[in-house]
Amino acid sequence: MTVRRTTLGGHTYEFPSLVELLAKATPARSGDVLAGCAAGSAAERVAAQTVLADLPLATFLDEQVVGYDEDDVTRLIVDTHDAAAFAPVASLTVGEFRDRLLAWAADGDEPAISALAPGLTPEMVAAVSKLMRNADLIAVGRRARVVTRLRSTLGLPGRLASRLQPNHPTDDPLGVTASVVDGLLQGSGDAVIGINPATDSPAQTVALLELLDAVITRYGIPTQSCVLAHVTTTLRALEQGAPVDLVFQSVAGTQEANRGFGVTLDLLAEARAGALELGRGTVGRNVTYFETGQGSALSAGAHLGVGGRPVDQQTLECRAYAVARHFEPLLVNTVVGFIGPEYLYDGKQVIRAGLEDHFCGKLLGLPMGVDVCYTNHAEVDADDTDTLTVLLAAAGCSFVIAVPGSDDVMLHYQSLSFSDVLTARQVLGLRPAPEFEEWLARMDLLDDDGRVRALAPDAPAAKALLAAAQP
């Protein structure tokens, strides 16, 4: 075991393991305090960041944060590492890697940044993010280009897509459909129309899939649907011939945490293969959708690494991205404030975590989105989510999640509204996915400037869509 140390202000700080060095270098957040791995002071954090900056990137290929023999996520990371893609930065330290990324971002060298993804491990990306200010995360994230396709094309420059989330506390078909129509009339849904079901009933999952498919088919909407049931429930729906566009699952950064979610890598591969067999895509074949969130492994007591030491929650979050990356997803999003203040205490921590997650996901080659959200017992409010939304849109975020009126009445948390997405697009000159934008124009939902028009209920487009919500 290599002990790394530095002297700062007359005090010598020692970091006995890579796990501890990464944890101590992390910007302050409540989850790491809860796990007992946070820096004890700002001085210790700066000392750890100083040591981390001088650490060769190649160290992460030789030293593991979670043991290779006991963790299938680590084995996936190590066994799929692309040495050729890593070669352009293989000789750099973490600090030099930061400087190189910022130079490429300033030069607009998107291909150089994007080509690195197969050669980067989650721990490398987590490490460099710990040395970056928020503006650095935005600048590099904006230049990391990841494009995916199924029925719409996501991740193109100048675009901001959205997931239309029509959740209902009883999965009532009329209530779900009314929310779908509300979102479509406000230009939402180009990433996916995705429902969190109130139960994990296979029959209810199939019914919701058929409901969404009927609306999409009836109006020729170039988007995809998803019922965010457990992957085993989706497999049963596939066996029944249900119209499954996307296989969904929440994933985490350790084998033990994924076991807590009731999933394995083999199970995810089986479900992806089943969705691919349906061939429901029109412009591409990305058929998986994953959600993550800082603190998920800690909340499951599955956050320990080499030597039984707690791994910081952001490094574990990045390891979840390695799981998602392996299955070529259409969509990945962090649910950034959903788990609660025990993990991200206030608006400052939520904003930082959202920018970190987006940067790290994009650098690892993921079509990264964010659920800009918070629970009502956190020290976060709508001003914080407004700030994060604009920052993410400026950073080239692939998509955000929107619900009617910002209030998810089934999951009981605060997210973005459909109008929040319109505001971000208008302020920053962004547009929806191209196929969806063409559909909005065909439905006469755009004005002459390409903006979603405010429609009276008796307008032809509104009347056509509202008909779908009738019992």
Side-chain angles (χ1 to χ4, degrees), residues 3-27:
V3 177
R4 300 173 175 93
R5 59 177 60 86
T6 190
T7 300
L8 184 69
H11 183 83
T12 298
Y13 295 91
E14 293 188 347
F15 307 99
S17 69
L18 185 59
V19 172
E20 290 170 88
L21 176 62
L22 286 168
K24 303 294 187 185
T26 305

Side-chain angles (χ1 to χ4, degrees), residues 213-223 435-436 439 442-443:
D213 185 62
V215 174
I216 289 171
T217 301
R218 179 176 178 180
Y219 295 103
I221 308 170
T223 190
E435 299 88 351
F436 193 79
W439 177 80
R442 290 198 306 272
M443 293 293 291

Side-chain angles (χ1 to χ4, degrees), residues 1-352:
M1 182 181 300
T2 302
V3 177
R4 300 173 175 93
R5 59 177 60 86
T6 190
T7 300
L8 184 69
H11 183 83
T12 298
Y13 295 91
E14 293 188 347
F15 307 99
S17 69
L18 185 59
V19 172
E20 290 170 88
L21 176 62
L22 286 168
K24 303 294 187 185
T26 305
R29 65 206 56 197
S30 54
D32 291 337
V33 174
L34 179 65
C37 65
S41 65
E44 185 180 25
R45 183 174 301 110
V46 170
Q49 291 170 340
T50 301
V51 173
L52 185 61
D54 291 334
L55 191 73
L57 269 185
T59 302
F60 295 100
L61 299 178
D62 301 322
E63 295 185 44
Q64 302 307 318
V65 169
V66 183
Y68 181 93
D69 292 334
E70 62 263 23
D71 189 89
D72 61 3
V73 178
T74 299
R75 292 193 291 275
L76 177 69
I77 292 166
V78 173
D79 295 348
T80 61
H81 180 256
D82 187 330
F86 181 57
V89 295
S91 64
L92 303 182
T93 65
V94 176
E96 290 169 341
F97 181 41
R98 170 188 177 274
D99 294 343
R100 182 70 58 85
L101 287 172
L102 289 170
W104 279 335
D107 292 340
D109 196 347
E110 295 177 3
I113 296 174
S114 300
L116 290 174
L120 299 177
T121 70
E123 292 83 359
M124 293 176 189
V125 172
V128 75
S129 75
K130 297 174 192 295
L131 305 182
M132 290 184 152
R133 295 170 53 190
N134 286 0
D136 300 335
L137 299 173
I138 293 168
V140 177
R142 181 178 180 84
R143 295 298 188 184
R145 185 65 54 209
V146 183
V147 178
T148 56
R149 298 175 173 88
L150 189 64
R151 291 205 201 96
S152 56
T153 302
L154 307 174
L156 294 172
R159 306 278 177 171
L160 175 64
S162 62
R163 169 183 158 191
L164 196 172
Q165 183 168 294
N167 294 349
H168 190 279
T170 63
D171 291 336
D172 175 69
L174 182 59
V176 169
T177 308
S179 293
V180 170
V181 171
D182 186 20
L184 291 172
L185 288 172
Q186 296 185 66
S188 188
D190 46 341
V192 64
I193 304 175
I195 302 175
N196 297 93
T199 72
D200 212 37
S201 157
Q204 189 65 23
T205 295
V206 171
L208 289 171
L209 285 167
E210 291 175 343
L211 170 66
L212 294 183
D213 185 62
V215 174
I216 289 171
T217 301
R218 179 176 178 180
Y219 295 103
I221 308 170
T223 190
Q224 34 283 320
S225 69
C226 185
V227 175
L228 283 72
H230 192 270
V231 67
T232 54
T233 302
T234 303
L235 275 168
R236 293 179 65 180
L238 283 165
E239 291 168 358
Q240 297 175 42
V244 175
D245 292 335
L246 294 175
V247 169
F248 168 83
Q249 182 57 46
S250 295
V251 293
T254 67
Q255 180 175 340
E256 186 178 353
N258 284 321
R259 185 182 296 119
F261 282 140
V263 298
T264 64
L265 301 182
D266 288 343
L267 186 62
L268 295 175
E270 179 186 354
R272 175 176 178 267
L276 281 171
E277 286 182 8
L278 294 183
R280 291 178 59 81
T282 56
V283 296
R285 288 171 53 82
N286 298 112
V287 295
T288 56
Y289 176 14
F290 298 104
E291 279 191 342
T292 67
Q294 288 196 28
S296 60
L298 173 58
S299 68
H303 61 294
L304 301 181
V306 172
R309 298 176 180 84
V311 182
D312 70 272
Q313 65 184 32
Q314 196 242 337
T315 297
L316 290 175
E317 172 75 0
C318 290
R319 285 170 54 88
Y321 301 159
V323 175
R325 177 172 64 176
H326 186 64
F327 298 102
E328 301 179 15
L330 178 76
L331 305 167
V332 177
N333 70 261
T334 170
V335 190
V336 71
F338 182 70
I339 302 181
E342 300 85 357
Y343 307 95
L344 296 170
Y345 178 72
D346 57 14
K348 182 175 182 178
Q349 291 187 11
V350 167
I351 288 169
R352 172 71 191 190

Side-chain angles (χ1 to χ4, degrees), residues 336-378:
V336 71
F338 182 70
I339 302 181
E342 300 85 357
Y343 307 95
L344 296 170
Y345 178 72
D346 57 14
K348 182 175 182 178
Q349 291 187 11
V350 167
I351 288 169
R352 172 71 191 190
L355 294 175
E356 282 176 350
D357 293 351
H358 175 259
F359 162 85
C360 292
K362 290 284 283 295
L363 205 54
L364 287 166
L366 292 181
M368 201 69 197
V370 178
D371 188 355
V372 182
C373 63
Y374 61 95
T375 57
N376 287 312
H377 63 307

